[in-house]
């Protein structure tokens, strides 16, 4: 007979808990590698916590937490507090990605590549006019950015 996904998860966690007990890893988060990229590790930590029931049941609650963390970040008064709140915001963003079935590391790599491609196009367009970005201004570069975005959507 087929087991439900929820029952399979419970069975899996029971097996993993037994394995952790045999290897002195008794806590749910034990064994999540410290050397992973931070966003990947955040998702893995959250998956482990979710396996034992520590998770928001729907994405709307994650969005509420995102709004709360943005508020806390904007209200933080010291550099140390802003640092802490920014970390909390990134952690919740990783959780949001998990709920949306998005790999946050790959999404950020893709965003970096898109930014690089578009900024390089701005530089080329400025170069065609005999100038560099430092000889331009934000308004002009922003207009060129919008033009590059439109050109990408057309092609």
């Amino acid at each position: 007979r087929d087991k439900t996904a929820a029952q399979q998860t419970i069975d899996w966690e029971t097996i993993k808990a037994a394995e952790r007990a045999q290897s002195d890893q008794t806590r749910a988060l034990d064994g999540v590698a410290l050397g992973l990229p931070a966003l990947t590790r955040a998702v893995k930590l959250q998956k482990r916590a979710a396996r034992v029931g520590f998770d928001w049941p729907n994405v709307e609650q994650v969005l509420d937490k995102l709004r709360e963390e943005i508020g806390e970040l904007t209200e933080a008064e010291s550099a140390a507090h802003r640092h802490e709140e920014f970390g909390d915001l990134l952690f919740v963003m990783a959780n949001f990605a998990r709920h949306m079935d998005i790999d946050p590391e790959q999404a950020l790599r893709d965003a970096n590549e898109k930014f690089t491609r578009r900024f390089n196009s701005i530089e080329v367009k400025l170069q065609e006019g005999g100038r560099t970005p430092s000889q331009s201004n934000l308004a002009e570069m922003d207009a060129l950015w919008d033009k590059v975005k439109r050109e990408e959507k057309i092609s």
Side-chain angles (χ1 to χ4, degrees):
R1 125 180 183 226
D2 291 336
K3 293 183 180 180
T4 66
Q7 186 59 50
Q8 288 174 346
T9 300
I10 291 168
D11 293 348
W12 176 256
E13 190 52 41
T14 301
I15 292 167
K16 294 312 259 179
E19 289 175 359
R20 283 192 297 274
Q22 290 177 349
S23 68
D24 295 331
Q25 292 181 358
T26 57
R27 296 175 297 184
L29 303 181
D30 286 351
V32 177
L34 292 171
L36 292 170
L39 286 172
T40 299
R41 186 162 193 269
V43 170
K44 287 192 178 287
L45 289 168
Q46 293 161 2
K47 282 181 180 179
R48 287 277 183 92
R51 285 183 194 160
V52 296
F54 191 72
D55 195 15
W56 287 293
N58 62 58
V59 76
E60 278 304 315
Q61 290 174 310
V62 181
L63 286 171
D64 288 343
K65 187 64 174 173
L66 273 175
R67 291 180 195 101
E68 176 187 323
E69 292 298 343
I70 290 169
E72 290 176 5
L73 175 59
T74 58
E75 293 171 9
E77 295 184 7
S78 70
H81 192 201
R82 284 189 300 275
H83 175 91
E84 177 185 352
E85 294 302 337
F86 187 76
D88 291 350
L89 178 60
L90 285 175
F91 192 81
V92 176
M93 285 298 300
N95 203 8
F96 182 59
R98 181 178 66 85
H99 275 264
M100 300 295 291
D101 198 27
I102 295 168
D103 175 349
E105 286 289 336
Q106 189 59 52
L108 186 54
R109 278 188 213 98
D110 293 344
N112 287 341
E113 192 278 324
K114 180 173 59 177
F115 177 83
T116 300
R117 183 182 65 245
R118 288 179 178 173
F119 192 81
N120 288 344
S121 293
I122 289 171
E123 286 184 310
V124 167
K125 290 180 183 310
L126 287 170
Q127 227 171 21
E128 290 168 354
R131 295 181 301 128
T132 65
S134 60
Q135 296 167 326
S136 182
N137 59 49
L138 178 59
E140 180 183 23
M141 287 188 284
D142 195 41
L144 289 171
W145 180 274
D146 290 341
K147 182 179 181 184
V148 168
K149 277 179 62 175
R150 283 190 306 274
E151 288 170 356
E152 283 183 356
K153 289 183 181 183
I154 292 170
S155 52

